[in-house]
């Protein structure tokens, strides 16, 4: 039995499940609104009820952590001891995720959220070139960094800021160029922010990694004003050209060592090939990032590859 953690709106999960059905692999999908109850747990085993069906840990052969999580106390409504239950729930969930992470899996709970700064340390340790960065809340430090690098950007530590308005329209904070006027408009002190060297790109590369294999796609986003800084700011009228791409084996070896050091066997990440010095610069990594955008244009059929890995 394959246990899948996801959310209702994730189409990629449904695409992989279509392959699991074809391959006749039994599975259970847990979404954010799935009724899940922990029946019992010991040092040797546990039992959970999923939509009324009892599953023993010994029945779970593989796990895929795609997205989402558990709320084992969702059924409890009392306000009187809600705070106490919250602390109890946190302790239990943390340990239960630990137990689930012991099951052979594609991705795990414990490393589903990447710390960008720790990732930059791992890049340096394993010889993976990344743009220079500065974290500061001091205006004069930003100006000094700008004068050194000549061209800088700002981006979130974690995921991009995103809100949905009353008309169901999404607003996102993309990676942004920072110029001298922007810096001069800053207060002397502000919330610590991530600034990074802006690397001139010949093209971008989106990579999906699964169990030692790399599936790469070149994105020719540099000549479009919408996507030049951040290709996620899609131009629907004039889409970027996409093409299958192969990284050098020596570079893949470095990347694999870095990913293994983080404990990842599956992830999506972005690389820039610089037009200035003809080198790869590692940008961002997301263990639960979308892979359909690489799968379909390059005919990699990643949905089947994930299903085979489960």
């Amino acid at each position: 039995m394959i246990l899948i953690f996801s959310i209702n709106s994730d189409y990629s999960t449904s695409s992989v499940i279509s392959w699991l059905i074809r391959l006749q692999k039994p599975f259970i999908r847990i979404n954010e609104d799935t009724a899940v109850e922990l029946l019992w747990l010991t040092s040797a085993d546990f039992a959970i009820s999923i939509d009324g069906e009892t599953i023993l840990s010994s029945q779970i052969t593989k796990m895929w952590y795609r997205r989402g999580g558990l709320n084992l106390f969702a059924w409890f409504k009392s306000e009187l001891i809600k705070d106490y239950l919250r602390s109890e729930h946190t302790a239990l969930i943390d340990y239960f995720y630990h137990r689930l992470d012991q099951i052979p899996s594609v991705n795990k709970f414990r490393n589903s959220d990447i710390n960008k700064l720790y990732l930059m340390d791992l890049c340096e340790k394993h010889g993976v070139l990344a743009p220079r960065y500065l974290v500061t809340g001091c205006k004069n430090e930003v100006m000094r960094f700008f004068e050194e690098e000549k061209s800088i950007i700002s981006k979130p530590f974690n995921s991009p800021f995103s809100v949905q308005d009353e008309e169901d329209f999404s607003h996102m904070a993309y990676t942004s160029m920072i110029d001298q006027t922007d810096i001069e408009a800053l207060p002397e002190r502000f919330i610590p922010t991530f600034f990074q060297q802006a690397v001139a790109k010949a093209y971008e590369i989106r990579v999906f990694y699964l169990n030692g294999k790399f599936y790469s796609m070149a994105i020719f986003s540099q000549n479009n004003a919408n996507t030049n800084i951040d290709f996620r700011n899609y131009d629907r009228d004039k889409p970027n050209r996409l093409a299958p791409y192969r990284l050098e084996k020596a570079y893949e070896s470095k990347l694999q060592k870095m990913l293994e050091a983080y404990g990842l066997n599956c992830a999506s990440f972005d690389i820039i090939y610089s037009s200035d010095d003809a080198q790869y610069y590692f940008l961002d990594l997301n263990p639960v990032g979308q892979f359909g955008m690489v799968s379909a244009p390059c005919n990699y059929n990643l949905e089947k590859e994930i299903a085979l890995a489960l």
Side-chain angles (χ1 to χ4, degrees):
M1 175 72 69
I2 300 165
L3 192 61
I4 300 172
F5 286 87
S6 189
I7 55 176
N8 287 314
S9 59
D10 191 64
Y11 175 78
S12 296
T13 304
S14 301
S15 298
V16 172
I17 283 175
S18 294
W19 275 104
L20 291 177
I21 293 170
R22 288 195 213 181
L23 295 169
Q24 298 183 337
K25 291 187 173 186
F27 66 90
I28 290 182
R29 175 174 177 168
I30 297 176
N31 291 323
E32 67 270 29
D33 57 355
T34 302
V36 181
E37 182 182 0
L38 177 63
L39 301 178
W40 53 263
L41 179 148
T42 70
S43 61
D45 205 353
F46 63 78
I48 52 177
S49 172
I50 304 173
D51 284 336
E53 181 180 354
T54 299
I55 303 295
L56 298 175
S57 63
S58 55
Q59 295 176 281
I60 305 171
T61 56
K62 281 285 186 74
M63 185 188 79
W64 180 26
Y65 178 75
R66 173 64 186 152
R67 290 180 179 180
L70 288 172
N71 184 1
L72 299 177
F73 292 162
W75 54 273
F76 198 89
K77 305 299 181 184
S78 172
E79 292 291 328
L80 184 62
I81 56 174
K82 185 169 65 175
D83 289 341
Y84 171 73
L85 276 181
R86 186 177 293 116
S87 65
E88 286 287 279
H89 177 265
T90 299
L92 176 59
I93 285 293
D94 283 349
Y95 179 72
F96 192 57
Y97 286 167
H98 165 73
R99 289 287 292 272
L100 287 169
D101 278 348
Q102 308 312 304
I103 298 169
S105 67
V106 172
N107 286 342
K108 297 181 181 294
F109 283 94
R110 66 179 171 84
N111 53 19
S112 60
D113 194 14
I114 291 296
N115 184 313
K116 186 189 292 289
L117 299 177
Y118 180 46
L119 183 64
M120 293 296 100
D121 286 349
L122 283 179
C123 282
E124 186 172 355
K125 180 179 179 180
H126 294 280
V128 176
L129 187 62
R132 290 180 292 277
Y133 73 87
L134 168 72
V135 178
T136 186
C138 303
K139 178 178 180 177
N140 61 339
E141 293 299 326
V142 182
M143 185 63 76
R144 185 177 295 115
F145 188 60
F146 176 76
E147 289 171 352
E148 289 174 357
E149 300 298 338
K150 309 305 180 188
S151 183
I152 66 173
I153 60 173
S154 178
K155 62 195 331 185
F157 284 110
N158 194 0
S159 55
F161 174 76
S162 176
V163 294
Q164 205 122 6
D165 63 24
E166 294 176 352
E167 297 178 355
D168 207 29
F169 188 82
S170 295
H171 303 266
M172 290 187 68
Y174 297 105
T175 300
S176 301
M177 290 294 297
I178 303 296
D179 59 25
Q180 188 165 343
T181 303
D182 296 321
I183 300 170
E184 289 171 351
L186 290 171
E188 293 302 319
R189 294 287 187 272
F190 50 92
I191 294 173
T193 302
F194 186 87
F195 299 93
Q196 195 172 49
Q197 167 197 11
V199 178
K201 62 183 176 182
Y203 48 85
E204 296 180 61
I205 305 163
R206 178 77 168 186
V207 185
F208 179 73
Y209 172 80
L210 177 64
N211 290 334
K213 288 188 176 183
F214 294 84
Y215 303 86
S216 304
M217 177 180 73
I219 305 170
F220 297 92
S221 56
Q222 69 278 8
N223 294 323
N224 188 310
N226 280 11
T227 60
N228 182 41
I229 305 302
D230 192 331
F231 76 85
R232 292 171 300 181
N233 187 23
Y234 304 115
D235 188 335
R236 306 293 181 184
D237 297 324
K238 188 181 178 183
N240 295 152
R241 184 164 70 89
L242 310 172
Y245 190 86
R246 181 171 293 177
L247 295 166
E248 288 83 352
K249 287 296 180 183
Y251 186 62
E252 287 187 346
S253 179
K254 290 181 180 180
L255 291 172
Q256 185 169 352
K257 288 177 182 176
M258 184 188 71
L259 293 166
E260 288 175 350
Y262 215 115
L264 294 171
N265 64 359
C266 181
S268 295
F269 52 91
D270 301 315
I271 297 167
I272 279 180
Y273 187 75
S274 171
S275 58
D276 286 342
D277 56 12
Q279 294 197 76
Y280 295 122
Y281 285 81
F282 191 92
L283 297 184
D284 291 305
L285 182 149
N286 187 353
V288 297
Q290 293 294 350
F291 49 85
M293 64 167 297
V294 176
S295 180
C298 299
N299 293 317
Y300 287 143
N301 207 354
L302 296 177
E303 296 79 8
K304 182 181 180 181
E305 296 300 323
I306 294 172
L308 289 170
L310 292 172

